[in-house]
C-alpha cells in the first residue's frame, strides 16, 4: 500500500493538491513550501515510487503531474472500507428505526 503510506504525510498531500490544478515544475512546487528543495525532492521521489505522480523532462526542468495508477490503489481501498461501513451503518439504522417503532408502540 505504497500510495496510502505516501498520502499519510501532510507535505506530500499538499504537493498532490498543488498538482490537482495541473502539472508543475519542481521549482514551482518548491516555491509553495517553506522547506528545502532537497526535502521536496525526497517527497516527490516517494510520490513517484507510489505511482501518484509522474515526471517528464523538458530541457533542464522536471515537470510533475498526477499519475492515475496509485490513485486506483487508494480508490480500491476506499471502496473496501465503504462496503465495510455501509453494511454496519445500514444495520444500525434498521435497529434504531425498529427501536423507535417499539417505543412508539409502547406509548400507545
Amino acid at each position: 500500500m505504497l500510495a496510502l503510506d505516501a498520502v499519510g504525510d501532510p507535505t506530500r498531500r499538499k504537493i498532490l493538491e498543488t498538482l490537482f490544478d495541473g502539472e508543475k515544475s519542481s521549482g514551482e512546487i518548491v516555491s509553495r513550501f517553506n522547506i528545502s528543495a532537497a526535502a521536496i525532492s525526497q517527497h516527490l521521489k516517494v510520490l513517484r515510487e507510489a505511482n501518484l505522480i509522474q515526471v517528464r523532462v523538458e530541457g533542464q526542468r522536471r515537470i510533475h503531474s498526477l499519475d492515475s495508477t496509485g490513485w486506483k490503489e487508494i480508490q480500491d481501498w476506499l471502496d473496501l472500507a465503504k462496503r465495510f461501513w455501509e453494511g454496519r451503518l445500514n444495520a444500525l439504522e434498521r435497529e434504531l428505526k425498529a427501536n423507535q417503532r417499539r417505543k412508539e408502540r409502547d406509548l400507545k
Side-chain angles (χ1 to χ4, degrees):
M1 294 253 165
L2 284 176
L4 284 170
D5 291 338
V7 297
D9 181 88
T11 300
R12 289 193 283 270
R13 285 194 306 272
K14 288 183 192 244
I15 290 170
L16 292 169
E17 289 169 10
T18 66
L19 295 174
F20 289 162
D21 296 334
E23 60 185 26
K24 306 271 185 305
S25 70
S26 298
E28 289 173 300
I29 295 169
V30 168
S31 71
R32 295 172 183 243
F33 294 88
N34 290 324
I35 58 177
S36 71
I40 292 295
S41 178
Q42 288 300 308
H43 285 297
L44 291 170
K45 179 182 176 186
V46 170
L47 292 169
R48 276 192 315 276
E49 289 173 352
N51 295 315
L52 292 169
I53 65 169
Q54 53 193 352
V55 63
R56 74 173 194 281
V57 178
E58 269 187 16
Q60 302 247 350
R61 296 171 22 136
R62 303 288 184 266
I63 307 298
H64 302 274
S65 60
L66 297 175
D67 181 347
S68 63
T69 309
W71 294 97
K72 183 178 178 337
E73 177 186 319
I74 292 172
Q75 186 60 55
D76 290 347
W77 185 86
L78 288 171
D79 290 343
L80 283 172
K82 181 180 177 187
R83 282 195 303 273
F84 171 83
W85 284 110
E86 274 184 342
R88 281 156 178 79
L89 292 172
N90 289 339
L92 175 60
E93 181 181 23
R94 286 190 301 274
E95 183 59 33
L96 290 172
K97 285 180 179 179
N99 190 34
Q100 182 64 33
R101 285 191 301 271
R102 283 190 296 272
K103 283 182 181 180
E104 289 171 0
R105 190 176 48 230
D106 291 344
L107 289 174
K108 291 181 182 179

